[in-house]
Amino acid sequence: RDMPFDPVRDFEPVGMVAMVTIILVVHPSVPVKSVQELIALAKSRPGDLTFGSPGNGTPQHLAGELFNTMAGAKMGHVPYKGAVPALTDLLGGRLSMIFSSMPPALPHVNSGKLRALGVTSGARSPAAPDVPTIAQSGLAGYEVINWYGVLAPAKTAKDIVGKLNAEIVRIMNLAAVKERLAAQGAETFTSTPTEFADTIRKETEKWARVVKFSGAHLD
């Protein structure tokens, strides 16, 4: 609530570098096989279904709140101190679902211990090509990009920003870098400084609405 900087005014966008896909997984006891069925179940049992996250304000938490907002559902949020305890409780049946990064969740999906309903990205993930996007599976327009980028101090000279961006794009497209990121569940995702500035502006507006609607807070 008392952030000492402005994420738009106080930085100069250099460029995006990567994105991490989030996947929605449910415990097998939840009787749904698609996002559309999940929405119907959540509406028929308001407040009964729960989703865990690594903590308040994390991308996984806000992904769930955006889902609630767009679907008109009331699934309860359960914050944890990290992703591992949330996943552990889901496997134990103490949660209905979690929005999780791909690497820890996929082995349990493949073993049948969890059921994948969709990924939050706009397109299917190469790591799980058989899993539809949440938009494809029943919630049109839904998209959450867990993105990473590089920022410089505000008013950094444009020629310096341009040089930094060109070098970052070159590095992020190296095969070794792509492989290293893929092993961590990430994909390279580069942009121009102008495109990155536009992304920050749009994301700020988008998540401000979700935070206001859900009442999510860090303190």
Side-chain angles (χ1 to χ4, degrees):
R1 296 177 186 272
D2 301 311
M3 193 162 61
F5 62 87
D6 186 295
V8 176
R9 182 191 62 219
D10 296 338
F11 298 96
E12 196 70 42
V14 176
M16 300 180 74
V17 295
M19 63 173 286
V20 176
T21 300
I22 297 173
I23 187 169
L24 171 58
V25 290
V26 300
H27 189 266
S29 64
V30 180
V32 299
K33 293 185 178 180
S34 70
V35 168
Q36 191 171 18
E37 291 179 0
L38 176 61
I39 293 171
L41 181 65
K43 287 183 175 181
S44 69
R45 294 164 47 185
D48 284 357
L49 301 182
T50 55
F51 72 94
S53 81
N56 287 321
T58 57
Q60 295 90 333
H61 170 206
L62 295 181
E65 297 295 359
L66 178 63
F67 190 98
N68 273 338
T69 301
M70 293 182 64
K74 292 183 179 180
M75 301 186 299
H77 172 236
V78 183
Y80 287 80
K81 293 182 178 180
V84 173
L87 181 59
T88 300
D89 268 9
L90 178 63
L91 289 167
R94 291 177 287 277
L95 287 171
S96 306
M97 71 201 81
I98 61 173
F99 290 81
S100 172
S101 57
M102 298 281 268
L106 280 181
H108 301 294
V109 171
N110 294 335
S111 69
K113 293 179 180 178
L114 297 176
R115 183 182 303 126
L117 297 188
V119 294
T120 66
S121 49
R124 297 193 183 209
S125 169
D130 293 334
V131 180
T133 68
I134 288 177
Q136 291 172 333
S137 186
L139 193 57
Y142 181 95
E143 183 178 12
V144 177
I145 301 175
N146 190 10
W147 53 263
Y148 296 83
V150 176
L151 298 162
K155 299 181 180 178
T156 298
K158 298 296 183 184
D159 61 329
I160 293 176
V161 171
K163 289 178 181 178
L164 284 170
N165 177 268
E167 190 65 5
I168 287 169
V169 171
R170 182 188 70 79
I171 292 169
M172 297 312 297
N173 281 292
L174 294 174
V177 174
K178 287 178 175 287
E179 290 172 8
R180 184 70 177 269
L181 285 172
Q184 300 177 46
E187 300 172 50
T188 55
F189 191 72
T190 57
S191 71
T192 66
T194 300
E195 290 168 342
F196 189 23
D198 189 50
T199 295
I200 292 172
R201 179 183 60 77
K202 289 179 178 178
E203 289 280 276
T204 300
E205 294 172 354
K206 173 181 179 176
W207 294 112
R209 292 192 296 270
V210 174
V211 168
K212 183 177 181 180
F213 180 86
S214 67
H217 59 85
L218 294 177
D219 52 3

